[in-house]
Amino acid sequence: MLAPAATAPIIQAMSDHTLTLYSYWRSSAAYRVRIGLNLKGLAYAQVPVHLVQDGGQQHAAAYTTLNPQHLIPSLQHGDLILRQSLAILDYLDETWPQPALLPADAAGRAHVRALAQMIACDIHPLNNLRVMQYLGRELAQPSAAQDAWMQHWMHTGFAALETLTARTSRSAGFCFGPAPTLADCCLVPQLYNARRFKIDVGRYPRLLEIEAACLALPAFHAAAPEQQPDAPA
Ligand SMILES: N[C@@H](CCC(=O)N[C@@H](CS)C(=O)NCC(=O)O)C(=O)O
């Protein structure tokens, strides 16, 4: 459990300090960070933390000393432990500014952060494993009610994202502008997650267009769940 596993670094390390990501192949929050690391060209090792095996390895003392929230991901940089995917992405952007994950202007940054937070604060937490487990185990909600919950919050969030990305993008490429940003780091994993739970993402053509542009990039492809060392063969 929690044994370091080598990833295939897509580009050489840019730091003397080792980067180690505590990750789970299907975790969308870890997926966001993998994209950010790859976009920055940073090599990193991965320590898989299986969210289901052994009752959830995120609850094991070996992990909770690093992350008392029992949540993936955490990123170790030298002696520093970083938590929360958006905070980790901010740290990466401040430590290795190029390529930037945020636009140069304040208005652009505010917009990109809003898109990212719509996903990371208003969609994902409502559909997270522990929330679904609570609905099922503590509140005794049947699987149909759990599915309805999941679909409701994903569609609510995606509908607003579809509107905002269509209306305000400066170019056709990504969530905002001609290069991927923090918002794209969040969108692609959320769409992956949506498909996993059989959400009809065909309702969101603009989001699918952005996803296709992202997945054409090696940084996004290499971050995909199926490419991870702990993905089932
Ligand atoms: N806001 C956190 C969310 C982290 C999170 O919810 N991670 C999920 C995997 S995507 C997790 O570890 N779930 C474990 C559980 O629910 O028990 C972040 O962005 O890092």
Side-chain angles (χ1 to χ4, degrees), residues 1 61 65 82 110 128 140 145 160 222 228:
M1 182 169 47
T65 49
L82 299 148
N128 196 8
Q228 303 316 304

Side-chain angles (χ1 to χ4, degrees), residues 27-29 32 51 58 71-73 84-85 124 128-130:
S27 155
S28 46
R32 293 172 199 151
L51 295 186
Q58 70 275 28
L71 294 174
I72 300 298
Q84 286 287 339
S85 61
H124 176 263
N128 196 8
L129 175 64
R130 63 183 182 172

Side-chain angles (χ1 to χ4, degrees), residues 9 17 29 65 79 110 138 151 153 229:
H17 296 285
T65 49
D79 294 335
E138 270 76 12
Q151 287 174 13
W153 294 115

Side-chain angles (χ1 to χ4, degrees), residues 24 26-33 49 51 55-56 58-59 63 67 69-74 83-88 120-121 124-125 127-133 193 196:
Y24 177 58
R26 246 171 12 179
S27 155
S28 46
Y31 190 177
R32 293 172 199 151
V33 175
V49 181
L51 295 186
Q58 70 275 28
H59 305 301
Y63 185 68
N67 191 321
Q69 270 197 300
H70 301 216
L71 294 174
I72 300 298
S74 302
R83 305 165 191 90
Q84 286 287 339
S85 61
L86 294 188
I88 295 171
C121 305
H124 176 263
N127 302 314
N128 196 8
L129 175 64
R130 63 183 182 172
V131 171
M132 302 313 291
Q133 286 175 339
N193 202 22
R196 190 179 152 208

Side-chain angles (χ1 to χ4, degrees):
M1 182 169 47
L2 305 186
T7 49
I10 58 170
I11 310 177
Q12 78 279 7
M14 293 169 66
S15 163
D16 293 337
H17 296 285
T18 306
L19 287 163
T20 303
L21 181 66
Y22 292 80
S23 183
Y24 177 58
W25 66 288
R26 246 171 12 179
S27 155
S28 46
Y31 190 177
R32 293 172 199 151
V33 175
R34 294 195 300 260
I35 295 168
L37 287 162
N38 292 347
L39 284 169
K40 300 279 182 190
L42 296 165
Y44 58 99
Q46 284 196 45
V47 177
V49 181
H50 201 294
L51 295 186
V52 181
Q53 270 173 17
D54 309 320
Q57 294 175 354
Q58 70 275 28
H59 305 301
Y63 185 68
T64 59
T65 49
L66 298 178
N67 191 321
Q69 270 197 300
H70 301 216
L71 294 174
I72 300 298
S74 302
L75 181 72
Q76 184 159 8
H77 181 209
D79 294 335
L80 185 63
I81 306 291
L82 299 148
R83 305 165 191 90
Q84 286 287 339
S85 61
L86 294 188
I88 295 171
L89 288 165
D90 271 347
Y91 175 84
L92 295 179
D93 216 25
E94 289 172 9
T95 309
W96 294 277
Q98 297 303 326
L101 297 179
L102 290 168
D105 61 304
R109 285 196 295 278
H111 181 68
V112 165
R113 286 189 172 116
L115 296 176
Q117 289 172 25
M118 286 165 70
I119 297 165
C121 305
D122 296 336
I123 300 178
H124 176 263
L126 292 164
N127 302 314
N128 196 8
L129 175 64
R130 63 183 182 172
V131 171
M132 302 313 291
Q133 286 175 339
Y134 190 81
L135 285 175
R137 292 175 187 168
E138 270 76 12
L139 302 184
Q141 292 302 305
S143 57
Q146 292 179 45
D147 290 348
W149 169 279
M150 176 84 78
Q151 287 174 13
H152 174 76
W153 294 115
M154 284 223 215
H155 282 307
T156 301
F158 283 143
L161 283 163
E162 176 81 5
T163 303
L164 283 177
T165 51
R167 198 181 283 160
T168 60
S169 274
R170 287 174 182 169
S171 87
F174 297 92
C175 278
F176 189 71
T181 63
L182 184 68
D184 302 281
C185 294
C186 294
L187 177 65
V188 168
Q190 194 60 51
L191 286 169
Y192 174 90
N193 202 22
R195 287 196 189 85
R196 190 179 152 208
F197 291 101
K198 313 270 184 282
I199 309 288
D200 174 16
V201 293
R203 294 192 203 172
Y204 311 107
R206 171 70 182 138
L207 300 185
L208 296 183
E209 189 181 74
I210 294 166
E211 181 191 41
C214 290
L215 291 176
L217 300 177
F220 281 81
H221 178 75
E226 289 71 23
Q227 305 298 323
Q228 303 316 304
D230 56 330

